Amino acid sequence: MGYSPERKAAVLKRMLPPNTMAIRQLSQEEGISEATLHKWRAEARGKWQLLPDADAGPDGWSSRDKFTAALNEADLGEYCRKRGLYPAQISAWRAACEQANDWDRASTARLGRATKDEKKRVKDLERELARKDRALAETAALLVLRKKAAAIWGDLEDV
């Protein structure tokens, strides 16, 4: 299904601050699939438009959203001409800064995976320990029964 550029622009405008609307809510109100809205937002970001992910305001914005807030395509071109830079250099700098600023988010994710792996390892070790405990208890019970049988009937090895 095709949408007119005017409608697309109007919907994208509803994703912009200060009245940033969640994609799920926007999808329900406009009757446009969430996948389409996600695609439109990604395309707009490729054109240096500010379209944040989070519904929680600027604190929840990714580093990319924070950096793209500063320049649109025309401003970027003008900035590069004044400074003698190429847009590719700015993009590379931006990517490096995004990675540096998202380090905390990435380290939290890494820590979460490590914690999950450790919990799994502890659970496996506890399961193994319980199995060995049961085997030890069974062996102890068999030894006690053997001693009792020997005490009652005498040692069968003496015969």
Side-chain angles (χ1 to χ4, degrees):
M1 178 175 186
Y3 296 98
S4 70
E6 294 82 21
R7 176 138 190 237
K8 185 176 177 180
V11 171
L12 285 172
K13 187 175 181 180
R14 293 181 69 185
M15 289 185 204
L16 290 170
N19 303 321
T20 305
M21 184 177 280
I23 286 187
R24 180 165 295 178
Q25 181 183 0
L26 194 58
S27 171
Q28 292 170 352
E29 288 182 14
E30 293 288 333
I32 301 172
S33 74
E34 288 183 36
T36 301
L37 294 176
H38 281 287
K39 181 181 172 195
W40 287 358
R41 183 175 63 187
E43 289 171 358
R45 284 182 176 163
K47 297 174 185 172
W48 303 100
Q49 288 183 353
L50 173 64
L51 293 169
D53 280 330
D55 300 330
D59 291 337
W61 291 3
S62 69
S63 290
R64 178 181 175 124
D65 292 331
K66 291 174 185 174
F67 284 110
T68 57
L71 299 172
N72 61 25
E73 195 170 328
D75 292 340
L76 178 65
E78 182 180 338
Y79 179 83
C80 288
R81 281 189 298 278
K82 284 182 182 178
R83 308 278 184 196
L85 298 169
Y86 292 101
Q89 290 173 306
I90 303 293
S91 295
W93 294 345
R94 180 175 282 120
C97 289
E98 288 172 6
Q99 289 174 352
N101 287 337
D102 283 339
W103 179 84
D104 186 39
R105 203 177 278 171
S107 68
T108 301
R110 217 175 13 257
L111 183 61
R113 282 192 302 274
T115 302
K116 183 179 176 184
D117 292 344
E118 286 300 314
K119 284 182 181 178
K120 184 179 184 301
R121 183 176 165 269
V122 166
K123 186 176 179 181
D124 290 344
L125 289 172
E126 286 175 345
R127 188 180 304 122
E128 181 71 12
L129 181 62
R131 184 188 66 78
K132 288 181 178 182
D133 266 350
R134 287 191 301 272
L136 183 61
E138 182 181 351
T139 303
L142 288 173
L143 284 173
V144 167
L145 288 174
R146 184 174 177 186
K147 285 183 181 179
K148 284 185 179 181
I152 294 172
W153 293 296
D155 241 353
L156 296 177
E157 294 173 4
D158 292 340
V159 179

